[in-house]
Amino acid sequence: FPPEDVKSASPKGRRSNLQAKTVGMQFKSQLVGLMKKVELTDPHYIRCLKPNDSAKPKTIVRRRMTEQLRYSGVLEAIRVARMGFPVRLDLNLFFKRYRLLLQNQPEIILAWNINHFSSSQIQTACTKFIDLLLSSKNTKSQDRRETSRVIRILHSQNNPPALDFASSDVQVGLSKIFLRKSAHDILEANRAYILSVTATFLQSVIRCHQRRSYYLLFRYAAGYVQRIYRGYKGRERWWKLREDVAADLLTNNIRMLLVQN
């Protein structure tokens, strides 16, 4: 017979150790695995609404949908969220996203690159940016006598809403900035406006370069054709003149021979 230590190391003994794992331990391990998966993903919760009670396709009963939204608390949750600070952005992301709203501010007053800034410096930069933004409150204060292409494009575009919102709508935290929905909408509208103007300006520059290249190419081609044509006509006149001179010389020589004879 094998010794006792060998018996304890038999498969039957290992099976007993595995059976000692309780249901609570299994649930805990599964829960830990689920939480790890949730942390690696970006979950989105979808609320399903019943479009009609007759289960017909492509049929929406507005009253039924409104009742479901109201009684399920969705409208109330939206109202409460709009009353609070539903938009929360990192300070670094906020500054990089909306710094272009103050293009007239030089680098000395408000920096453009904050990659090398510390957390406290980024927080100070965001606070300064909001103060400058609220102090101006009007991005259309530029002199309309300026005749640059960017200014003309700015005036030709539809004007966004003015940067006029209360300072309490924006709160700066240690690592995030909190915005009310109204303030966030105004910032996004002005940012989209400036990006649209910039894209229009870049497109105009590219189109100008393309058209100028085509114009220079066609002008060179036209000049080349004109040179060839003028050269051909000049040679043609020269040959005609040469033939006239040769004809006169031949006539004179023939007359001279006739007179001599």
Side-chain angles (χ1 to χ4, degrees), residues 132-246:
L132 293 173
L133 194 66
L134 295 178
S135 62
S136 61
K137 282 195 176 183
N138 189 7
T139 58
K140 309 299 180 300
S141 61
Q142 297 169 341
D143 190 359
R144 288 185 176 271
R145 292 176 297 177
E146 299 181 15
T147 57
S148 65
R149 189 184 303 175
V150 178
I151 301 302
R152 291 198 300 270
I153 295 174
L154 280 170
H155 296 332
S156 65
Q157 298 282 345
N158 294 328
N159 295 332
L163 290 168
D164 189 5
F165 53 87
S167 59
S168 59
D169 293 344
V170 181
Q171 299 295 328
V172 180
L174 295 178
S175 61
K176 290 182 178 293
I177 187 166
F178 303 87
L179 298 95
R180 296 188 188 274
K181 186 63 177 177
S182 57
H184 179 259
D185 292 341
I186 292 175
L187 293 176
E188 281 294 323
N190 283 267
R191 180 178 179 272
Y193 169 73
I194 293 178
L195 291 178
S196 176
V197 171
T198 305
T200 304
F201 174 72
L202 292 177
Q203 289 175 358
S204 65
V205 172
I206 293 174
R207 290 195 183 102
C208 176
H209 176 71
Q210 290 177 347
R211 298 303 176 185
R212 180 173 176 80
S213 299
Y214 294 156
Y215 167 74
L216 294 176
L217 180 62
F218 291 150
R219 189 177 71 174
Y220 174 78
Y224 181 73
V225 172
Q226 290 175 2
R227 288 196 302 271
I228 294 177
Y229 181 74
R230 284 196 294 264
Y232 171 76
K233 297 301 290 186
R235 286 190 296 271
E236 186 180 5
R237 289 194 299 269
W238 180 78
W239 278 107
K240 186 176 180 181
L241 179 62
R242 185 176 179 181
E243 289 175 356
D244 294 340
V245 173

Side-chain angles (χ1 to χ4, degrees), residues 13-55:
R14 289 196 298 270
R15 191 179 301 112
S16 62
N17 293 334
L18 292 176
Q19 291 176 353
K21 190 175 183 180
T22 62
V23 178
M25 295 177 62
Q26 295 178 4
F27 176 76
K28 182 179 179 181
S29 62
Q30 293 176 0
L31 183 61
V32 171
L34 177 62
M35 292 303 298
K36 290 181 179 179
K37 291 182 179 179
V38 171
E39 291 176 355
L40 296 175
T41 58
D42 188 9
H44 295 79
Y45 300 96
I46 301 174
R47 184 181 295 273
C48 298
L49 300 176
K50 191 176 182 180
N52 57 77
D53 295 330
S54 57

Side-chain angles (χ1 to χ4, degrees), residues 59-146:
T59 302
I60 296 178
V61 180
R62 187 182 297 273
R63 182 176 179 181
R64 188 78 176 95
M65 297 285 290
T66 307
E67 289 176 354
Q68 293 180 72
L69 290 173
R70 181 182 295 112
Y71 295 133
S72 62
V74 175
L75 298 179
E76 184 66 18
I78 294 174
R79 187 183 67 83
V80 172
R82 291 180 68 91
M83 290 177 60
F85 297 89
V87 181
R88 303 172 183 180
L89 300 173
D90 293 336
L91 295 177
N92 194 4
L93 176 62
F94 172 81
F95 190 86
K96 291 180 178 179
R97 185 173 182 84
Y98 300 112
R99 173 60 178 87
L100 54 86
L101 298 180
L102 295 178
Q103 302 181 28
N104 297 330
Q105 298 296 335
E107 180 77 17
I108 302 176
I109 298 178
L110 189 63
W112 281 91
N113 187 10
I114 60 172
N115 292 330
H116 59 282
F117 281 16
S118 61
S119 300
S120 60
Q121 290 176 335
I122 294 176
Q123 183 182 12
T124 305
C126 291
T127 304
K128 189 175 183 180
F129 167 77
I130 295 172
D131 294 338
L132 293 173
L133 194 66
L134 295 178
S135 62
S136 61
K137 282 195 176 183
N138 189 7
T139 58
K140 309 299 180 300
S141 61
Q142 297 169 341
D143 190 359
R144 288 185 176 271
R145 292 176 297 177
E146 299 181 15

